[in-house]
Amino acid sequence: MRYGKMKKIMVTGGAGFLGSHLCERLLAQGHEVLCVDNFFTGTRRNIAHLTAHPNFELLRHDVTHPLYVEVDEIYNLACPASPVHYQFDPVQTTKTSVHGAINVLGLAKRLRAKVLQASTSEVYGDPEVHPQTEAYWGRVNPIGYRACYDEGKRCAETLFFDYHRQHGLQIKVVRIFNTYGPRMHPNDGRVVSNFLVQALKNDDITIYGDGSQTRAFCYVDDLVEGFLRLMATGPDFTGPVNIGNPKEFTMNELAHQIIELTGSRSKIVYRGLPPDDPKQRRPDITLAKDKLQWQPTVELREGLSRTAKYFEDFLREEASR
């Protein structure tokens, strides 16, 4: 698929898990990439292989402060996305989503640049509708422990659509469902990274709740392809659009698959379910299939195998230091 001529593209949160993969793909397409990150959850390790590329530029910056650059397109991925990280400083998390969106949108308005917002399936909260379609308004606790992220992302979507309606800005909004792959933070508290690191260390695998709650896991390469296809659509399609894998797995199924895949001696232990943790999460991707001709292609076992190799190498390097 061709995505057009060479552009200068800014990726906020570009040194993070998703951002680094997006930067890599954009460079491979021949674009100039400005990676913006404050390194709260992003790491230089994620982009070390890109820094020598002649079309790659790194800017250390926090999006809660305005920035003044010249670009053609913007992907706004800046925000801690795992409960461990976004609950560490919940006020700052909300500022990153809301002030960050205002600053990015203000820049896009000045430049007349197309801008994509990386939103989240968390806008659906603990859903009463399954699977979740883009038309579902969600069931979110506005004063709970997850609200800094959930409501911050919901407000960011509001800002994007108001800038679109009020200023004619070209926007794209993607709602990301659980994504995994190499360069995930090993201590981010997400289920795939938790289970893989525990399994590789032969530690107990911790399941919160009884393990019957479900998630649908999308490999990072598939997700980035969805980003690119959404950005390439015409001005009449804004989203929001779900990007995720509609194949649903229980936590118990995931844990057993990871133990078998890694040959681990880990045992499964159960702990209490955190507050407001959704019981079910699966995207309806009808809109993505129709408008983007997109659907995931990497099966869970293959994606887990690639991710396990990354964590195996990471843990070996850490142990040798």
Side-chain angles (χ1 to χ4, degrees):
M1 186 172 182
R2 296 181 64 183
Y3 300 97
K5 64 180 182 179
M6 178 180 176
K7 302 180 179 108
K8 183 158 188 181
I9 301 174
M10 182 174 81
V11 180
T12 69
F17 160 49
L18 299 181
S20 62
H21 285 275
L22 176 59
C23 288
E24 195 172 62
R25 281 290 299 276
L26 292 170
L27 288 170
Q29 291 180 357
H31 300 298
E32 292 184 49
V33 174
L34 173 61
C35 170
V36 176
D37 208 294
N38 69 351
F39 294 104
F40 174 60
T41 56
T43 67
R44 293 186 184 277
R45 173 194 174 100
N46 287 343
I47 53 169
H49 63 299
L50 304 178
T51 53
H53 196 292
N55 287 349
F56 182 80
E57 184 180 355
L58 173 63
L59 173 63
R60 183 165 192 156
H61 183 85
D62 189 316
V63 295
T64 60
H65 303 284
L67 67 167
Y68 304 96
V69 294
E70 301 294 324
V71 293
D72 302 306
E73 290 181 350
I74 302 169
Y75 289 80
N76 185 37
L77 276 60
C79 191
S82 71
V84 168
H85 292 138
Y86 67 63
Q87 291 172 8
F88 175 77
D89 188 344
V91 172
Q92 184 64 24
T93 296
T94 303
K95 285 181 177 180
T96 301
S97 285
V98 178
H99 292 186
I102 290 168
N103 289 329
V104 164
L105 287 163
L107 176 65
K109 178 187 169 188
R110 178 177 69 82
L111 300 174
R112 305 310 299 171
K114 191 187 299 185
V115 56
L116 179 145
Q117 167 67 4
S119 191
T120 172
S121 61
E122 295 294 334
V123 300
Y124 300 123
D126 190 2
E128 298 166 303
V129 172
H130 191 77
Q132 293 80 58
T133 69
E134 293 84 354
Y136 178 53
W137 288 358
R139 178 173 173 262
V140 173
N141 176 2
I143 59 171
Y145 288 102
R146 302 170 73 100
C148 59
Y149 184 69
D150 301 3
E151 296 288 28
K153 288 289 191 177
R154 285 162 70 95
C155 185
E157 286 197 17
T158 300
L159 287 162
F160 266 70
F161 278 91
D162 283 339
Y163 265 77
H164 170 66
R165 288 185 285 257
Q166 189 171 339
H167 302 296
L169 202 61
Q170 280 199 67
I171 65 162
K172 309 292 176 184
V173 176
V174 55
R175 290 178 177 165
I176 302 168
F177 282 69
N178 289 67
T179 304
Y180 70 100
R183 300 183 208 142
M184 293 183 81
H185 197 291
N187 301 312
D188 64 6
R190 297 181 190 181
V191 63
V192 170
S193 48
N194 267 8
F195 285 8
L196 279 171
V197 170
Q198 289 168 340
L200 290 167
K201 291 181 173 180
N202 294 306
D203 293 340
D204 289 342
I205 288 182
T206 308
I207 291 180
Y208 295 95
D210 62 6
S212 64
Q213 66 270 37
T214 65
R215 296 292 185 273
F217 301 101
C218 183
Y219 189 66
V220 62
D221 289 356
D222 284 331
L223 184 84
V224 169
E225 179 67 21
F227 283 180
L228 299 174
R229 290 183 181 228
L230 176 57
M231 190 62 108
T233 57
D236 292 338
F237 184 66
T238 60
V241 58
N242 293 335
I243 297 292
N245 195 318
K247 293 184 180 177
E248 196 171 4
F249 296 86
T250 68
M251 297 301 94
N252 285 322
E253 289 172 330
L254 179 67
H256 285 294
Q257 187 164 160
I258 284 175
I259 288 171
E260 189 269 327
L261 178 70
T262 59
S264 176
R265 300 187 300 276
S266 295
K267 296 180 174 60
I268 297 174
V269 298
Y270 295 88
R271 300 284 184 266
L273 196 65
D276 301 324
D277 196 60
K279 312 299 185 299
Q280 288 183 303
R281 185 63 61 73
R282 176 162 68 93
D284 182 313
I285 62 167
T286 303
L287 187 62
K289 287 180 176 179
D290 179 41
K291 296 294 186 180
L292 311 181
Q293 291 75 57
W294 178 92
Q295 61 183 340
T297 60
V298 179
E299 294 294 333
L300 182 63
R301 185 175 183 85
E302 173 60 24
L304 288 176
S305 178
R306 297 179 197 175
T307 311
K309 176 64 168 62
Y310 169 80
F311 278 123
E312 197 172 10
D313 293 343
F314 180 89
L315 292 172
R316 188 183 302 114
E317 287 177 29
E318 290 294 300
S320 67
R321 288 181 181 177

